[in-house]
Amino acid sequence: MSQSLRHMLLLPLATGLAYYLGAVLGVAASAMSEGIAIFWLPNGILLVVLLSTARHHWPLHLAAAVLAEIAADLPTFTLLQALGFAAVNVVECLLAALLLERLARPFRLESLRHVIAFGGYVLVIACGLAALLGAAIYSLTGQATTAFWTYWRIWWFGDGLGMLLVAPLALGWLQPRSRPGERRSFEATALFGLTLLFSLWVFYPSAAHVEAAFPRRAFLLLPFALWAAARFGVWGTASVALLLAGIAIPATLTDRGPLALAAPEATVLLLQEYLVVLSLPALALAALLQELRDRNARLQSRETELRMTHDALDRVNRELETRVRTRTEALEVANRRLKALASVDSLTGISNRRHFVEQAKAEISRARRQGLPLSVIMFDIDFFKTVNDRFGHEAGDQTLKALTSTVSGNLRAGDIFARLGGEEFILMLPGQGLGDAVQTADRVRALVAETSRTHYPVPITLSAGVAGLAGSEDLDGLLRQADRALYAAKHQGRDRVCVAPAAGAPETLPSAGPFMG
C-alpha cells in the first residue's frame, strides 16, 4: 500500500476507532444524569494525532473524529447535541494543536517550559473555551438540571483531565527512549506494583469503612507520583497518573473511596480536581528534573569533549615538540656541516683561507699577550701549471692531496695547516721562532721532494717563504713578509726556502745544506 493511501485511509480510520472507543468510555464514566463525562479521553487522543501528523492530513483525522463522536453520543444524546459536541471537541483539539505548534513542532513535553505551555494553552485556553460552548449546548437544548457554571467546570476539568492523562503518555511513547537497565526495570515494576496496591487500598473500601478504619486519604498516593517524576520522567509520571485515574474513577463512580460524596456534582468536581492537582505538578516536576538531567548530560558531554580536545592538543603539542626537537637537531647537524664545509678545503680536507685567518688571528693575539714566538711558512709547488697541462687536472688534484697528506703527517698538534688556493699553502707554527720555522720548512721541502718521486702521480719540488712575528705586526703584515720571501725563493731558482728577517730584505736558504743567516 502506498504512503499516500495509508495516510488517506488507514490512519484516519485508526483515529476514528480510537476516538470512538475513548468516547464510549467517557460517556460510560459519567456520574450525572446529563451524561457529562468525568474525563474525556478522545480529545487527548485526537490532540496527539494532530501533533504527530502533517497539517494537510488534519482534515481527514478531524472528519473521522466527528463521525466517531456522533456514533458514540447517539445512544445517549440527540443528533443535534451529538453534532454540537463533535464540533466543540474538534475546535478544542484544533485550537490546542495550533497553539502548541507555535511553541515547537513536533511538540514534545521535554522541558518545564513545555509543560507550563501545555497547561496554559490546552488546559486553560482550549479546554476553558470549549467548556463554555459545551455548557451552552446543554443550556440551549433545555435538558439542563444543573447550573451553567457547574456544567462549565465539569466539562472544563473533564476535557482537561482527558488531555492530561492521554497526551503526555502518548507523546512520551513517540519520543525515543533508551532501554532501561535491569535495576531500572526492577524499580519500575516495584513502582507500578506498589501504586496499584495502595490505590486499591485507598479507593476500594466502602465509605463507612473509610471513616472507621485507618484514614485512607487520597493524598497518600502523592508520593508515588513524585517517585515516578523523580525517576522515570514525563512518560513514567503520565503512566502512574493514568493508573491512579483508572482505579480512582470507577471506585468513585461506585461510591467507594475517600472522594465519594453525597451530591454527584460535588463528587465529579472533587475527583477531577484531585486528579488534575495530582498529575499536573508531578508532570511539571518530571519535566524539570529531566531538563536538569539532560542539561547535566550535555555539560558532562562537553566536559568530556573538552578533555578529549585537551588530550588531543597535548598529543599534538608533544608531537610538535618532538618534531621541533628533531628538526632543531637536524639543523644543528646541518649547521655544523655547513660550518665545517665553510672552514675546510673541499679537495684536500685541511683548513681553507677563511678558517686559517680566524685561527691565525687568535694565535697572534695569544702570542702577543703571552710574549711567545710565532712563525709562518708559505709554500707552493714549483711549475704546477706544467703538471696540469702535461698530466691533466686529475693528476694535479691527486698531487695536491698527496702533498697535504705528507705535510699533515709531520706536524705538531698545535700547528695550523691551510690551503690558500690553487697550489699555494701556508703553515702557522705557534711557539716556534724564526730559526726553528726555517728548519721545519726545509725539512718539509726535502721530504716532499723525496716522497713525490715514488708515491706521487708526478715528482714535484716546493718553494717556501718563512716569516716570524716581531714587534707590532698584524696577520696581514706577517703574510706579506712570507709572500715576499716565497717570491724570493721562486726568483732565485725554486726548490728552496727563503726567510724574511725582521729587518727587511729576505735571505735565502739553499736547497741542501744549513741555513745561512
Side-chain angles (χ1 to χ4, degrees), residues 55-79:
R55 286 191 179 183
H56 61 273
H57 294 302
W58 284 8
L60 295 175
H61 294 280
L62 294 175
V66 169
L67 295 176
E69 172 88 24
I70 294 173
D73 288 350
L74 282 180
T76 305
F77 303 99
T78 65
L79 178 59

Side-chain angles (χ1 to χ4, degrees), residues 274-289:
Y274 167 73
L275 292 176
V276 170
V277 171
L278 181 74
S279 303
L280 187 58
L283 288 172
L285 177 62
L288 175 61
L289 294 177

Side-chain angles (χ1 to χ4, degrees), residues 277-413:
V277 171
L278 181 74
S279 303
L280 187 58
L283 288 172
L285 177 62
L288 175 61
L289 294 177
Q290 184 62 47
E291 187 175 6
L292 293 176
R293 283 192 291 266
D294 293 342
R295 187 174 300 175
N296 185 55
R298 288 194 297 270
L299 180 61
Q300 290 181 350
S301 177
R302 290 177 183 174
E303 289 176 355
T304 302
E305 291 176 359
L306 288 174
R307 192 180 305 113
M308 293 175 62
T309 302
H310 179 270
D311 294 341
L313 288 175
D314 186 58
R315 288 194 299 271
V316 171
N317 286 334
R318 289 197 297 270
E319 292 175 0
L320 288 176
E321 289 175 358
T322 302
R323 292 180 182 179
V324 169
R325 184 166 55 252
T326 304
R327 185 64 60 84
T328 301
E329 293 173 355
L331 288 175
E332 290 176 352
V333 171
N335 286 334
R336 287 194 294 270
R337 290 179 179 175
L338 288 174
K339 186 176 181 180
L341 291 174
S343 61
V344 174
D345 178 64
S346 60
L347 176 64
T348 61
I350 61 176
S351 296
N352 58 18
R353 177 187 290 271
R354 188 180 68 84
H355 191 228
F356 170 79
V357 170
E358 293 177 357
Q359 292 180 301
K361 287 181 178 179
E363 289 296 335
I364 290 174
S365 176
R366 186 169 68 89
R368 286 175 175 173
R369 290 196 310 270
Q370 299 179 8
L372 299 175
L374 183 145
S375 302
V376 295
I377 303 172
M378 186 178 292
F379 62 86
D380 67 8
I381 301 173
D382 297 330
F383 303 110
F384 186 71
K385 184 177 184 301
T386 304
V387 173
N388 284 330
D389 292 342
R390 291 183 59 187
F391 302 99
H393 287 282
E394 183 176 356
D397 290 344
Q398 295 299 324
T399 300
L400 292 174
K401 292 180 181 179
L403 169 65
T404 302
S405 177
T406 300
V407 176
S408 298
N410 289 273
L411 298 179
R412 302 173 303 165

Side-chain angles (χ1 to χ4, degrees), residues 174-194:
L174 297 176
Q175 290 180 273
R177 300 189 305 278
S178 59
R179 187 174 181 179
E182 184 177 348
R183 294 182 60 185
R184 293 294 300 274
S185 298
F186 175 78
E187 184 182 358
T189 303
L191 170 61
F192 283 93
L194 292 174

